[in-house]
Amino acid sequence: EVQLLESGGGLVQPGGSLRLSCAASGFTFSGYGMTWVRQAPGKGLEWVSTIIHTGGSTYYADSVKGRFTISRDNSKNTVYLQMDSLRAEDTAIYYCVKGRDGYYSNWGQGTLITVSS
Amino acid sequence: DIQMTQSPSTLSASVGDRVTITCRASQSISSWLAWYQQKPGKAPKLLIYKASSLESGVPSRFSGSGSGTEFILTISSLQPDDFATYYCQQYNSYSRTFGQGTKVEIK
């Protein structure tokens, strides 16, 4: 069974940093691209970032480009999202998602990031 | 970026109704479209991929159709478990985008 377990969420001040982790199990992690999708309170889904299976290519939404960095450690079956220069509008639930040919077959339970002073 | 527009934003329906949700892309995305269902407090769940392929384990009352810029999600006979919010998502470009969502409410 595929499991995706996010951690690292919490309250952070504007301008601060946070690193999210997602521990994956139940599938061959090194064979799949991984993605972060977020959802602001009461709002819709927003794609944030994707990293291909090797880690060799990464992609970002314009709203986070230059502030967020996605990475992965295939030896630890873990994907990360380093979030710097956080803004109030980054407040959201962040979901770790397993990609399959561009769509998202498995989702974690999400971790809440609140950016507030 | 490719914009995805869903209609309606909210839909009121009764158990047993046939329900259709439309998703329009701002440019052609061939058949690179997925549909998700989300219930309050839960993560989204994949229903349909490649516009019309039913994900394993999803009830056959769900179906998808369309290509190019217009797509439809159909629930043939609405069940109590289907009251939720539905999202479309394009994966034609690496800058993935979702529709704004359609909430299916009890009439």
Side-chain angles (χ1 to χ4, degrees):
Chain A
E1 179 191 3
V2 172
Q3 292 197 345
L4 301 167
L5 187 60
E6 302 100 335
S7 60
L11 175 64
V12 61
Q13 292 189 339
S17 297
L18 214 54
R19 187 175 87 152
L20 304 183
S21 299
C22 171
S25 61
F27 65 103
T28 305
F29 181 74
S30 60
Y32 291 88
M34 297 297 294
T35 291
W36 291 93
V37 173
R38 69 184 180 184
Q39 186 169 36
K43 303 297 185 182
L45 302 169
E46 180 187 15
W47 169 76
V48 173
S49 183
T50 293
I51 186 166
I52 69 168
H53 63 293
T54 62
S57 293
T58 56
Y59 305 88
Y60 299 93
D62 287 345
S63 58
V64 306
K65 200 171 293 183
R67 301 188 298 122
F68 289 13
T69 303
I70 191 170
S71 61
R72 65 190 295 158
D73 185 339
N74 285 347
S75 68
K76 295 182 178 179
N77 288 359
T78 302
V79 61
Y80 305 97
L81 187 67
Q82 176 66 42
M83 304 185 294
D84 299 321
S85 303
L86 283 161
R87 307 167 179 167
E89 54 265 37
D90 296 318
T91 294
I93 296 171
Y94 285 72
Y95 293 102
C96 172
V97 186
K98 172 179 171 283
R100 193 174 85 202
D101 298 330
Y103 53 93
Y104 306 127
S105 55
N106 301 87
W107 297 63
Q109 85 288 351
T111 187
L112 177 62
I113 307 302
T114 303
V115 183
S116 175
S117 54
Chain B
D1 288 1
I2 300 172
Q3 306 303 315
M4 307 300 293
T5 304
Q6 290 181 231
S7 61
S9 294
T10 306
L11 186 161
S12 296
S14 301
V15 173
D17 284 353
R18 181 181 181 87
V19 166
T20 61
I21 299 169
T22 299
C23 177
R24 290 185 173 88
S26 60
Q27 64 188 72
S28 177
I29 57 170
S30 185
S31 295
W32 306 122
L33 185 100
W35 289 97
Y36 303 87
Q37 176 194 67
Q38 187 179 33
K39 296 181 180 178
K42 300 293 186 182
K45 171 188 171 184
L46 175 67
L47 298 175
I48 302 280
Y49 61 94
K50 207 174 178 184
S52 60
S53 296
L54 191 68
E55 175 69 351
S56 177
V58 174
S60 59
R61 63 180 179 273
F62 291 92
S63 64
S65 63
S67 66
T69 61
E70 185 155 332
F71 302 85
I72 295 173
L73 174 69
T74 301
I75 309 173
S76 61
S77 177
L78 197 65
Q79 299 302 300
D81 192 47
D82 301 338
F83 291 97
T85 300
Y86 294 83
Y87 295 92
C88 61
Q89 176 237 329
Q90 67 80 18
Y91 51 102
N92 183 73
S93 73
Y94 255 112
S95 184
R96 317 295 195 205
T97 43
F98 291 88
Q100 82 279 14
T102 295
K103 186 175 183 179
V104 177
E105 298 181 327
I106 301 172
K107 191 172 184 179

